[in-house]
Amino acid sequence: EPEVTQTPSHQVTQMGQEVILRCVPISNHLYFYWYRQILGQKVEFLVSFYNNEISEKSEIFDDQFSVERPDGSNFTLKIRSTKLEDSAMYFCASLIGLAGNEQFFGPGTRLTVL
Amino acid sequence: GESVGLHLPTLSVQEGDNSIINCAYSNSASDYFIWYKQESGKGPQFIIDIRSNMDKRQGQRVTVLLNKTVKHLSLQIAATQPGDSAVYFCAERSNDYKLSFGAGTTVTVRA
């Protein structure tokens, strides 16, 4: 069964450093998302991406965040200068298209900012 | 603004009993709702969905009920099994397919 994959599973970084979180969505999906979940809290929407551009972003997704689909398979989330409060689980999700209902989530990357 | 929330943060249920997980939402314009299950260390997993023009939908061992009058959503799990232990989230979907999640209910199944 096709699945969304994410790497790394755990990333530890120093405050102020740049991190890139990587996702490989399901191959025939067209809509891509990043969500985050701070420990013990709910899952929060960050950004949606379609046709090589951002379609919507939340208040969390400020200038320190960016997304990219550098090739036909990867979808990345970059945080330019990490802050302590960026520590969270980051989930990538993909959706086949507007006719589909289910966003498929990856296993997540746990980001720890020290 | 819109909010989606669950009534209780934890639920302990005896194996074999039925579970009911509740969710209240505030955005009356929401037209689509989803229940997700999240096991420890994993991403959210789709369980079942329901459109606002329905009041009930059944899946395998799960039933979702929607009461638009009081903006309430529930997930019923029949014959709860140890593998059902997880955090359950309700979510509403906006027109652009962004998901807004509730806070989650942790279900623990007692043997």
Side-chain angles (χ1 to χ4, degrees):
Chain A
E1 183 176 327
E3 58 182 14
V4 177
T5 59
Q6 290 185 243
T7 55
S9 58
H10 190 189
Q11 174 87 49
V12 181
T13 190
Q14 294 291 325
M15 187 171 57
Q17 295 297 304
E18 173 183 287
V19 295
I20 297 176
L21 309 182
R22 303 181 190 280
C23 169
V24 179
I26 295 173
S27 63
N28 61 341
H29 285 196
L30 301 177
Y31 292 78
F32 313 111
Y33 305 83
W34 282 101
Y35 294 82
R36 80 169 186 191
Q37 184 179 31
I38 295 171
L39 185 63
Q41 299 186 21
K42 65 182 181 181
V43 177
E44 301 173 289
F45 168 79
L46 292 178
V47 65
S48 59
F49 190 86
Y50 170 71
N51 198 27
N52 283 321
E53 60 183 26
I54 291 173
S55 51
E56 185 168 350
K57 58 184 180 180
S58 72
E59 297 170 350
I60 303 167
F61 195 89
D62 61 21
D63 292 345
Q64 293 301 311
F65 290 85
S66 62
V67 289
E68 192 178 28
R69 188 155 162 83
D71 52 42
S73 61
N74 291 285
F75 180 51
T76 62
L77 174 69
K78 181 192 291 186
I79 309 175
R80 290 188 183 81
S81 178
T82 50
K83 303 185 288 287
L84 295 176
E85 54 265 37
D86 293 328
S87 294
M89 283 289 290
Y90 287 81
F91 294 106
C92 173
S94 69
L95 178 72
I96 190 166
L98 294 183
N101 292 330
E102 182 180 349
Q103 287 187 24
F104 289 82
F105 282 77
T109 292
R110 179 171 297 284
L111 176 65
T112 302
V113 182
L114 302 176
Chain B
E2 64 185 39
S3 67
V4 185
L6 296 176
H7 289 315
L8 293 174
T10 61
L11 175 67
S12 179
V13 61
Q14 186 69 38
E15 182 179 356
D17 287 352
N18 296 335
S19 302
I20 299 176
I21 306 165
N22 295 304
C23 178
Y25 65 95
S26 62
N27 187 356
S28 56
S30 296
D31 63 354
Y32 183 70
F33 302 90
I34 313 105
W35 280 100
Y36 278 89
K37 173 185 180 182
Q38 186 179 25
E39 296 174 285
S40 180
K42 297 183 179 179
Q45 180 184 7
F46 176 93
I47 302 173
I48 191 168
D49 57 6
I50 188 167
R51 295 194 178 278
S52 61
N53 60 354
M54 303 169 68
D55 53 21
K56 181 179 179 179
R57 190 159 188 236
Q58 288 185 291
Q60 187 177 11
R61 278 201 311 117
V62 294
T63 300
V64 55
L65 299 177
L66 176 63
N67 185 331
K68 294 181 289 295
T69 302
V70 294
K71 288 185 264 187
H72 183 270
L73 190 70
S74 69
L75 176 70
Q76 300 177 0
I77 305 173
T80 313
Q81 302 169 359
D84 295 327
S85 292
V87 180
Y88 290 81
F89 295 93
C90 62
E92 61 180 320
R93 194 183 70 183
S94 63
N95 289 335
D96 59 0
Y97 291 73
K98 173 185 76 174
L99 294 176
S100 298
F101 284 83
T105 291
T106 300
V107 173
T108 303
V109 181
R110 306 188 306 271

